[in-house]
Amino acid sequence: MTFQGWILILAFVGLLLALTRPVGLWLFALYEGRKTPLHAVLGPVERGFYRLSGIDPDEDQDWRRYAVHMLIFNAALLFFTYAVLRLQAFLPLNPLGFAGTSADLSFNTAVSFTTNTNWQSYGGESTLSNLSQMLGLTIHNFLSAATGIALAFALFRGFARRSAGTIGNFWADMTRVTLYLLLPICIVYALFLIASGVPQTLAQSVDLTTLEGAKQTLALGPVASQEAIKMLGTNGGGFFNANSAHPFENPTALTNFVQMLSIFTIGFGLTWTFGKAVGNPRQGWAILAAMLTIFLAGVTVTYAQEAAGNPIFHHLGVPGGNMEGKEVRFGIAASALFAVVTTAASCGAVNAMHDSFTALGGMIPLINIQLGEVVVGGVGAGIYGFLLFAILAVFVAGLMVGRTPEYVGKKIESREVKLAVLAIAVLPLVILGFSAIASVLPAGLAGPLNKGPHGFSEILYAFTSAVGNNGSAFAGLTANTPFYNGMLGVAMWIGRFFIIVPMLAIAGSLATKKYTPETAGSFPTTGPLWTGLLVGIVVIVGGLTFLPGLALGPIADHLAMIRGQLF
C-alpha cells in the first residue's frame, strides 16, 4: 500500500460526502413533485407525456397498484428487448451484419438489462449492432435505474405518511426521475467523456495500420452516451467486452475517478433524501455512516491484499503487488477501489478482472454482493434494501429493551418483520441453491476455467452477481451456454422482483399507520449505537447465510495459496 493510494481513497470519500446533501436536496424535490430549475425547459415535455399516455400524475396508488404497474412496465421492456436482439439481423444500424442472438442469450440479456443487472454473456463489440446497443440496452440503463429510485421514493412515503392508503404514482415518479435527474446529468457526463477520448459515433468500426505496418480493425460506436448512464444508473453493462478496462470506455485516471464517483453519488444522496422525507436528516446520516463503515472495511482489505501480492510469486522471488488482470494506467489502488465500489453499488462495471485478484481480495467484492447489495447499493435498490435490514435491526433492539420496536415514528410489527425476512431470505436461498445445482450437473461443471476452490468461486460469484443484480463476473466462467443463460436469467428476475414486491407491501403497511412520537423509552436510531447495530445486523445476517459458500470458495483458495508457498 502507498500514501498516494490512500490519498486517492480519502479524496474519493471526501468528495462523495460533499456531494451528498446537494444531490439529496435535488432528489427530495423530485420525491415531493416540486419544481426544479429544469422545469422551465422540461416541464412542457413532462406534461405532454402525461397527456399522450393518459396519466394523471396527481392520482396516488396503493402499494398493489404501484407494484402491478411496475411489473407490467418491466415485463413489456423485457419482451421488447428480446425482440430487438432476436431480429437484429433485419434491423438497421448493423453495418457489420451481425446475426440475431440465440434464444437463450437473448433471454438472458433482456432479463439482465431489465433487472438492472447488466450481466453480459457476450462480447458487445463482436455480437451487438449499434441499434441493439442503443435501443435494446441503453433504454434499460435509464428506465431500470429510474425504477429503482421510484421504488425507493415509494418506501420513503411509507415511512413518512400517516394514516394514508397510498405510496405515490409509479408513472409520475419514473417520469420525473428520468427527465429531471438522469437525462440532464448524462448529457453533461457524456460530453465530458467525449472530451476525454471516449468515442461517440454511429460508425461501428474503423480500419487502420499499426506502427508495425499490420492492418487492424477497431470497434467503435455510440460509447460515451451508454457509458454515462451505465455508471450513473449503476448498470454496469459495457459497450465492449473488456468493460471499463477498455480504453474506449475508460481512457484515463481522471475518467476512472469520475466514473467511480458517479456510481455512488445518487446512492449517497438518497440517504439524505430519506432523512429529509421522514423529517430528521440525522436518520439518513446514520444509514450513510453504517454503509461507509462496511465499505471502508472492504476497501482496506482488498487494497491490502492486492498490494501485498501473491505469496506464491514472492516465494519464487518475484516481489511486488498483484498486477495480474489490472490496467497499468490505473494501478493497484484505483483497481481495488473500483472493484469494491462497483460491487458495493450493484453496478457490475469492472476496470480489472476480479478472477485475477488474490483470494481474499476477490472475496470482498463477493461479500459486498452477498450482503444484499446494501453497502450504498444500486440507485434506489441500495437504500430500500438497507431499510429492510433497518427493520430487522430495530426489531432486535425492541427485543433487547422489551418494547414494541419503532422506527422513524412507525411501529414495526410482525407483518413488517415477516415481509423483511422474506425479502432478505430470497438472496441466500437462490444463490446457494443455484450454485449447488451448477456444481453437480455436467452442464454447470463445464463452465469454470479453474478447478477446485477457485472454480467453485467462479460459479458462486456468477449466481451471487445475478441474484444480487450486480452483473460483474470473475471473468473465468464460460457463461454463454443454454444452461447458464437460462439459470442466470431466472436468478436475476427472482433477485430483483421477489425483493421489490415484499418491500412495497411493507411501504403500504407503514403508510397506513399513525405517527408514534419518541419517548424516553424509545431506542435511539440516530447515534453511534444504532449505526453499530445496523452494521452488525447486515454483516451477521449476510455472514451466517453465506458462510458455507465462503468457506468452500475464497477462504479455501487462500489456504491453497499459502500451502503453495510453504510446500
Side-chain angles (χ1 to χ4, degrees):
M1 294 188 288
T2 65
F3 177 75
Q4 291 89 342
W6 281 110
I7 289 296
L8 171 71
I9 294 169
L10 293 176
F12 172 75
V13 174
L15 278 173
L16 281 170
L17 290 174
L19 290 169
T20 297
R21 190 174 187 275
V23 174
L25 277 171
W26 190 273
L27 286 162
F28 183 70
L30 300 180
Y31 161 81
E32 286 203 319
R34 293 190 284 110
K35 288 187 176 181
T36 69
L38 292 177
H39 273 72
V41 178
L42 298 176
V45 178
E46 180 188 5
R47 293 189 293 272
F49 170 78
Y50 294 145
R51 283 196 296 268
L52 287 173
S53 55
I55 292 171
D56 180 4
D58 297 321
E59 180 187 0
D60 272 6
Q61 302 167 332
D62 62 21
W63 78 265
R64 292 179 179 83
R65 286 189 64 203
Y66 202 102
V68 168
H69 287 209
M70 179 274 302
L71 290 171
I72 292 174
F73 176 68
N74 281 275
L77 288 175
L78 187 153
F79 288 120
F80 172 76
T81 297
Y82 179 85
V84 169
L85 296 175
R86 292 288 284 157
L87 299 173
Q88 177 176 256
F90 307 102
L91 297 174
L93 296 178
N94 185 12
L96 297 182
F98 290 139
T101 55
S102 65
D104 58 283
L105 180 59
S106 297
F107 167 75
N108 180 278
T109 306
V111 173
S112 175
F113 279 78
T114 301
T115 57
N116 198 247
T117 308
N118 303 83
W119 171 276
Q120 294 174 285
S121 294
Y122 60 89
E125 67 268 50
S126 60
T127 307
L128 299 184
S129 68
N130 284 340
L131 183 72
S132 295
Q133 295 269 21
M134 292 187 296
L135 187 62
L137 305 186
T138 304
I139 186 174
H140 284 287
N141 290 348
F142 280 96
L143 297 179
S144 65
T147 297
I149 298 173
L151 292 167
F153 286 174
L155 185 56
F156 294 175
R157 294 187 188 105
F159 281 106
R161 292 184 175 180
R162 307 174 185 181
S163 302
T166 58
I167 56 172
N169 185 300
F170 172 73
W171 304 107
D173 287 339
M174 285 285 297
T175 302
R176 290 164 184 158
V177 168
T178 304
L179 199 58
Y180 299 112
L181 178 72
L182 300 179
L183 275 172
I185 294 177
C186 285
I187 290 173
V188 177
Y189 194 174
L191 290 174
F192 161 75
L193 292 174
I194 293 169
S196 301
V198 177
Q200 180 69 20
T201 174
L202 291 180
Q204 196 147 6
S205 64
V206 60
D207 295 324
L208 52 82
T209 303
T210 66
L211 294 176
E212 292 80 11
K215 300 295 183 181
Q216 185 175 354
T217 299
L218 291 181
L220 298 174
V223 184
S225 56
Q226 181 166 317
E227 190 72 17
I229 186 58
K230 154 192 166 181
M231 294 301 185
L232 185 68
T234 62
N235 294 281
F239 194 96
F240 300 102
N241 190 35
N243 207 280
S244 287
H246 198 292
F248 283 177
E249 288 197 30
N250 191 9
T252 67
L254 177 60
T255 60
N256 189 68
F257 189 79
V258 172
Q259 287 184 12
M260 290 189 293
L261 278 177
S262 62
I263 292 171
F264 266 11
T265 298
I266 294 178
F268 268 54
L270 280 168
T271 62
W272 195 92
T273 304
F274 171 71
K276 182 72 172 175
V278 299
N280 186 355
R282 292 179 62 196
Q283 297 286 353
W285 289 119
I287 290 175
L288 183 57
M291 291 178 173
L292 267 179
T293 300
I294 303 173
F295 169 71
L296 289 174
V299 170
T300 301
V301 173
T302 301
Y303 184 27
Q305 290 296 314
E306 295 307 300
N310 191 322
I312 298 176
F313 288 172
H314 295 173
H315 180 67
L316 296 174
V318 182
N322 177 33
M323 276 298 294
E324 181 187 348
K326 299 178 179 65
E327 291 294 312
V328 176
R329 68 184 185 278
F330 301 140
I332 292 176
S335 299
L337 178 60
F338 199 110
V340 180
V341 167
T342 194
T343 52
S346 85
C347 180
V350 293
N351 74 346
M353 299 302 105
H354 297 178
D355 192 43
S356 297
F357 276 35
T358 60
L360 296 186
M363 183 181 72
I364 296 302
L366 184 62
I367 289 177
N368 281 340
I369 309 173
Q370 291 181 343
L371 291 180
E373 294 283 27
V374 297
V375 186
V376 181
V379 287
I383 184 68
Y384 69 63
F386 205 95
L387 287 172
L388 294 178
F389 280 98
I391 289 173
L392 290 186
V394 80
F395 172 70
V396 172
L399 293 177
M400 290 190 293
V401 300
R403 288 174 54 91
T404 301
E406 301 168 4
Y407 186 50
V408 296
K410 295 295 180 74
K411 287 188 179 294
I412 304 301
E413 298 174 302
S414 62
R415 174 178 170 81
E416 290 79 34
V417 174
K418 290 175 182 177
L419 287 169
V421 170
L422 175 63
I424 293 171
V426 166
L427 199 70
L429 289 174
V430 180
I431 291 174
L432 295 179
F434 281 29
S435 296
I437 294 171
S439 298
V440 297
L441 294 181
L445 292 173
L449 176 66
N450 298 280
K451 304 300 180 182
H454 199 78
F456 176 78
S457 292
E458 292 174 2
I459 295 174
L460 180 66
Y461 194 104
F463 285 106
T464 299
S465 179
V467 180
N469 299 140
N470 183 271
S472 65
F474 252 32
L477 183 75
T478 300
N480 190 12
T481 64
F483 175 82
Y484 277 109
N485 280 334
M487 291 282 284
L488 290 169
V490 172
M492 288 183 277
W493 188 265
I494 293 174
R496 177 74 161 180
F497 297 107
F498 280 51
I499 293 174
I500 287 174
V501 174
M503 181 275 294
L504 287 175
I506 291 173
S509 177
L510 292 172
T512 62
K513 297 187 177 186
K514 297 180 180 179
Y515 178 76
T516 303
E518 287 188 13
T519 65
S522 299
F523 186 86
T525 56
T526 56
L529 180 61
W530 170 243
T531 299
L533 181 60
L534 276 175
V535 171
I537 290 295
V538 171
V539 172
I540 290 172
V541 171
L544 289 177
T545 52
F546 289 107
L547 190 59
L550 290 176
L552 290 172
I555 293 177
D557 199 16
H558 181 70
L559 294 175
M561 289 174 60
I562 295 175
R563 287 196 300 271
Q565 177 193 20
L566 297 178
F567 302 105

